[in-house]
Amino acid sequence: MTSQSALDSITPLQQMIASCSGAILTSLFVTPLDVVKIRLQAQKTPFPKGKCFVYCNGLMDHICVCENGNAKAWYKPRGHFNGTLDAFIKIVRTEGMKSLWSGLPPTLVMAVPATVIYFTCYDQLSAALRLRMGDQADEVPLLAGSLARMGSATLISPLELIRTKLQSERQSYRELSAIIRSSVHADGWLTLWRGLGPTLLRDVPFSALYWFNYEKAKAWLCQSSGSREATFSITFIAGALSGSIAAVVTLPFDVVKTRRQVELGELQAQNLTAQASSSTYTVMRRIVTENGAKGLFAGFMPRLIKVAPACAIMISTYEFGKAAFREHNRKRPASPLQTSST
C-alpha cells in the first residue's frame, strides 16, 4: 500500500505552477513601487543621455539606458512630485493607471522563468539532500539555496545580457540571433555570461541566508502558534523577516553589483568593449575611497522596503499553491498501481 506521504507529495510541474503564480503576483504588487521610486530619483538627479539606471522590483534587475534624457518605460522626465503618495496620484491622473506597471513586461518575460527554475530546484535539491545529509539536515537550506540560485542565475545570465543589448542598441527581437552570433564571434561563448560574477556575489549569499532563516523562522512560528502546518500568515511573516535579514547582510554586494551593471550598460550603449569595465574589486575599492565604508551600505532603507514585501508575497503565495496541490492530490482517487501492493 502506498504511504500517505507519497499521496500528499506534489510533482515538479505543480511546484513550477505554484512558483509561477507567486512570481506573477509579486511582480504585480511590487512593480508600481519601483516605478514611483525611479520617477522620484529622476527628478532629483536627471539621467543624461547614454547614462543608465537599474530598475528592480524584488525579482529581477533591469538596466535602463537613457536616450535624449528619456528611457522607454520607467523614466519619463515630466511633472514634479512632492513625495511617494503625490507621485502615485499624479502618475495615475496624467498617464493612466497602467503606467504604474510600465516595467512589468520584461519582468514577466525574464523573472518568471528564473523564479520558476529557482524555487523548483530548491525544493527538489532540499528533498534529495535531506535524505543524504542525515544529522546535518539543518544545513540543507544553506546548500540547496546556494545551488538553486547559482543554477538559475547562470541559466538566465545570457538572456539578461541580450536584453540589455536590445535596449541599448535599439534592436528588434527579430534580430536576436544576429546579436548572439556577433557577440559570440567577437568575444567567444563566455561573453554571454558577462557580469555573472557580481550577480553571484550578491544572489548566492542572499539565497543561502534567506532559505536558512526562512526555514528556522517558519518552524519557530509554527511552534509558537501551536500550528501543525505553516499557515499563509506564518509563511508571509517568515518570508518578510528572512528577506530583510538577507537584504541587510548582502547590501554591500548589491551596491557593487548595481554600480557594475550600470558601467556595463553604459559601455554597451557606447559600443565599447567590456574589457574597459572595472572589476568587482576595483568598484568596491572605488566606492570606499569616494564615500567611505558607509558607501557600501547606500540605499539601505529602499532595498529593505522593496525586498521584504517581495519575499513575503513570493514565498507565501508559493507555499499556498503547494498546499493547495497537496490537498488536491490527497483527495484524488488513487490509481490501481498506487493501491496495489508489490
Side-chain angles (χ1 to χ4, degrees), residues 8-17 120 124 325 329 332:
D8 290 347
S9 63
I10 63 174
T11 65
L13 178 59
Q14 290 173 331
Q15 291 173 341
M16 293 171 69
I17 295 172
T120 305
Q124 294 295 314
F325 278 121
N329 294 345
R332 186 177 55 191

Side-chain angles (χ1 to χ4, degrees), residues 23-313:
I24 291 173
L25 279 177
T26 303
S27 300
L28 290 173
F29 275 100
V30 183
T31 293
L33 296 176
D34 221 62
V35 169
V36 170
K37 189 198 76 171
I38 290 295
R39 299 291 187 89
L40 290 171
Q41 287 178 335
Q43 77 174 9
K44 293 178 182 177
T45 308
F47 302 119
K49 180 180 179 180
K51 288 293 181 180
C52 295
F53 61 92
V54 174
Y55 159 87
C56 176
N57 62 4
L59 285 180
M60 178 71 70
D61 294 348
H62 302 290
I63 302 176
C64 304
V65 182
C66 294
E67 302 167 0
N68 298 320
N70 197 0
K72 295 179 181 179
W74 296 271
Y75 168 41
K76 298 178 181 180
R78 58 172 182 261
H80 180 77
F81 308 124
N82 297 317
T84 302
L85 181 60
D86 183 59
F88 267 108
I89 295 172
K90 288 182 177 177
I91 290 173
V92 172
R93 185 180 299 165
T94 59
E95 303 174 37
M97 182 71 73
K98 67 178 183 179
S99 184
L100 291 174
W101 285 272
S102 56
L104 189 59
T107 299
L108 296 179
V109 169
M110 294 192 62
V112 172
T115 305
V116 169
I117 295 170
Y118 172 47
F119 277 79
T120 305
C121 285
Y122 172 78
D123 271 347
Q124 294 295 314
L125 286 168
S126 293
L129 290 172
R130 287 185 195 281
L131 294 175
R132 289 166 173 78
M133 295 183 68
D135 296 337
Q136 297 178 314
D138 287 345
E139 300 176 10
V140 165
L142 284 170
L143 184 56
S146 299
L147 291 174
R149 176 57 75 183
M150 193 179 302
S152 62
T154 302
L155 287 173
I156 295 298
S157 185
L159 298 178
E160 177 72 15
L161 179 66
I162 291 167
R163 183 191 52 75
T164 304
K165 279 181 169 291
L166 285 173
Q167 185 191 36
S168 63
E169 298 174 12
R170 289 183 286 186
Q171 303 268 0
S172 68
Y173 284 102
R174 295 179 180 178
E175 298 171 298
L176 189 61
S177 60
I179 294 173
I180 296 175
R181 285 196 302 268
S182 63
S183 296
V184 172
H185 180 74
D187 302 306
W189 282 102
L190 290 180
T191 189
L192 297 177
W193 281 268
R194 187 181 298 156
L196 178 61
T199 300
L200 295 179
L201 278 176
R202 181 195 69 172
D203 290 356
V204 172
F206 179 94
S207 182
L209 288 170
Y210 170 77
W211 284 110
F212 180 79
N213 289 319
Y214 170 73
E215 299 290 357
K216 292 291 185 183
K218 183 174 69 171
W220 181 80
L221 288 170
C222 285
Q223 185 178 5
S224 300
S225 63
S227 176
R228 293 180 59 186
E229 295 184 359
T231 62
F232 184 87
S233 59
I234 286 176
T235 56
F236 189 93
I237 295 170
L241 289 174
S242 56
S244 299
I245 294 170
V248 172
V249 173
T250 60
L251 183 58
F253 298 114
D254 182 62
V255 172
V256 172
K257 178 178 181 286
T258 300
R259 184 78 69 92
R260 185 95 164 91
Q261 278 183 315
V262 168
E263 288 181 355
L264 285 172
E266 290 174 359
L267 285 172
Q268 290 176 3
Q270 299 168 23
N271 293 319
L272 298 177
T273 59
Q275 281 73 15
S277 178
S278 302
S279 67
T280 301
Y281 174 74
T282 303
V283 172
M284 183 176 288
R285 192 171 62 179
R286 187 193 312 149
I287 292 172
V288 174
T289 302
E290 295 174 354
N291 308 109
K294 66 178 182 180
L296 294 174
F297 292 89
F300 167 82
M301 191 54 65
R303 176 162 165 78
L304 197 61
I305 292 173
K306 177 171 55 184
V307 171
C311 289
I313 295 169

